[in-house]
């Protein structure tokens, strides 16, 4: 998976997680809140992986 794909999937997971978390809070469903928070963290991790891939690529390209 490319760095751009990781970043896009990460952003999508963060957005979906935020929505799930908000809906969970609104309807009083703690499981949905937790699921949303976990999905947001997954998205953050995916974006971090994408950024790391970019950094490695820049280093390799300089060599």
């Amino acid at each position: 998976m490319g760095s751009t794909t990781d970043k896009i999937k990460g952003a999508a997971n963060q957005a979906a997680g935020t929505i799930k978390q908000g809906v969970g809070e609104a309807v009083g469903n703690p499981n949905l809140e937790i699921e949303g928070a976990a999905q947001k963290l997954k998205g953050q991790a995916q974006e971090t992986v994408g950024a790391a891939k970019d950094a490695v690529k820049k280093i390799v390209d300089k060599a």
Side-chain angles (χ1 to χ4, degrees):
M1 196 175 328
S3 65
T4 302
T5 303
D6 287 326
K7 290 178 186 178
I8 291 169
K9 285 185 177 185
N13 272 319
Q14 284 189 59
T18 298
I19 292 168
K20 279 184 186 178
Q21 193 172 15
V23 171
E25 289 174 11
V27 299
N29 184 338
N31 289 333
L32 192 57
E33 285 182 60
I34 292 168
E35 187 179 322
Q39 191 167 1
K40 281 172 43 178
L41 288 173
K42 177 182 176 182
Q44 290 171 348
Q46 285 174 313
E47 285 189 349
T48 301
V49 167
K53 285 180 180 180
D54 281 344
V56 168
K57 185 178 183 320
K58 286 179 184 177
I59 291 169
V60 169
D61 288 346
K62 286 183 182 180

